[in-house]
Amino acid sequence: MADLTLPPRPDLSTGEATAAATGTPARRPTAWRLVRGQVAHASRDIWRTPVAMVVSLALPLLFLAISGLAAGATPGSSGDAAIQRLVPGAAVFAVAMSAFVMLAYSVALAGEQGILKRLRGTPLPAWAYLAGRTGAAAWVAVAGTVLMVAVGAFAYGLRVPLRMLPAALLGLLVTIVTLAVLGFAIATLVRGAQAVMGITMGSVVLLGFVSDMYGFGADMPGWLASIGWALPLRHAVEVLALPLDPTATGSGIAVSSLAALLAWGAVGGLLATRSFALDAPAGRHVARARRTARGGTLNFGSASPLGLVWGQLRYANRSIWREPVFA
């Protein structure tokens, strides 16, 4: 009897079934198709996470309203000089929340959950996954900026010089890229998604005071103003505030601030590429053995009510001390 060998079954996930049926060789998906699919996946993840939309859109809008009241700009007024500075600051706040805070948090959380590690066992390249996360954060940042400008124009009479629109788009693009790269750097250098959230959001809120992001125009000490100019948020405000200034002349491009943002992006990219790993942060493999009760009611592991409370108190204290976000 002749030896019969069956042909290998086509792999449905790689398109071999279609190739076998049509007689054409299977093609690998293009880079654009990979990134587009990951952007769509990350976008659905953002829409299904209410806190992401609140932090990226609702919080900056609330910030604009409160800052406007504090600066004396009331809705319905027009030509207020304060609003010309408040809207760029609110736009930078929206961009920072989406392209820096939430992007860094999502990457750190994916590392904790083992998603980045499991990518090694899939055909999807890691760069495509990260590009998808960046693309989703980018369109949310653009949506937040458009929302801030629209509210400023319709509610506060913000004047938007159309001839400065190319400069504003260039500044917005450089700001998004720089903050996204810095977000990746923080996600790789800091262990723990909650710690990443606390550090990124805390730095944006606190450094906003020295970066003129709140638009109050208060005089600061020279050394504090120097710190603000050394950080990227101040330059991000400048590249968006100059194109929205009706009195500005020329192209409206803040060349020095753009150069500073690109420099920060280069530093963040270097840190991210050197320290980024697909593995989740390794936990402690060796756990301390539970102490057995030896006649006392307060020993850890005791079955008495006081022993249980004492054990949980020690556990909660250790959790607080090991989580930098509490500090």
Side-chain angles (χ1 to χ4, degrees):
M1 182 179 293
D3 186 15
L4 299 178
T5 57
L6 297 177
R9 298 182 63 183
D11 189 355
L12 299 179
S13 62
T14 58
E16 292 182 5
T18 305
T22 60
T24 59
R27 294 181 179 180
R28 293 176 60 87
T30 61
W32 166 249
R33 185 177 179 183
L34 288 175
V35 173
R36 184 182 61 184
Q38 290 303 306
V39 169
H41 171 74
S43 299
R44 286 195 298 269
D45 189 19
I46 292 176
W47 279 111
R48 294 171 181 175
T49 308
V51 65
M53 303 307 297
V54 169
V55 170
S56 302
L57 298 178
L59 192 60
L61 188 59
L62 182 63
F63 156 78
L64 176 60
I66 295 177
S67 299
L69 292 175
T74 57
S77 61
S78 60
D80 197 332
I83 203 65
Q84 297 293 142
R85 191 72 181 183
L86 287 176
V87 170
V92 171
F93 189 64
V95 172
M97 287 293 108
S98 56
F100 179 63
V101 176
M102 296 309 301
L103 179 61
Y105 173 74
S106 64
V107 173
L109 185 62
E112 278 191 351
Q113 295 175 344
I115 296 176
L116 299 181
K117 184 177 182 180
R118 290 195 295 271
L119 282 177
R120 289 182 172 180
T122 68
L124 180 68
W127 63 262
Y129 176 84
L130 298 178
R133 287 287 177 182
T134 306
W139 77 255
V140 175
V142 173
T145 303
V146 172
L147 179 62
M148 298 304 112
V149 174
V151 171
F154 290 104
Y156 296 96
L158 174 71
R159 290 175 290 175
V160 182
L162 296 180
R163 64 182 183 87
M164 299 289 191
L165 188 58
L169 294 178
L170 177 62
L172 179 61
L173 176 62
V174 174
T175 300
I176 292 175
V177 172
T178 300
L179 293 181
V181 172
L182 291 176
F184 281 127
I186 295 295
T188 58
L189 294 175
V190 179
R191 297 301 185 182
Q194 295 299 327
V196 169
M197 172 67 80
I199 290 174
T200 53
M201 183 173 290
S203 62
V204 170
V205 173
L206 294 178
L207 296 180
F209 288 99
V210 299
S211 302
D212 200 23
M213 194 170 66
Y214 303 116
F216 296 145
D219 295 331
M220 293 182 296
W223 63 272
L224 200 57
S226 300
I227 292 177
W229 281 108
L231 299 173
L233 284 179
R234 180 60 187 267
H235 297 285
V237 174
E238 291 299 320
V239 298
L240 293 182
L242 184 59
L244 293 180
D245 187 1
T247 62
T249 58
S251 62
I253 299 177
V255 179
S256 59
S257 293
L258 282 177
L261 287 175
L262 291 175
W264 270 102
V267 173
L270 180 63
L271 293 176
T273 52
R274 288 178 63 90
S275 60
F276 184 81
L278 295 179
D279 294 61
R284 296 184 178 182
H285 299 287
V286 180
R288 182 178 299 178
R290 177 175 293 183
R291 298 176 183 174
T292 56
R294 296 181 178 179
T297 58
L298 296 183
N299 287 335
F300 180 62
S302 175
S304 64
L306 291 178
L308 291 175
V309 172
W310 176 248
Q312 291 303 308
L313 180 62
R314 293 181 58 188
Y315 169 76
N317 284 328
R318 283 200 301 270
S319 299
I320 291 176
W321 283 108
R322 292 173 181 175
E323 211 38 85
V325 68
F326 283 99

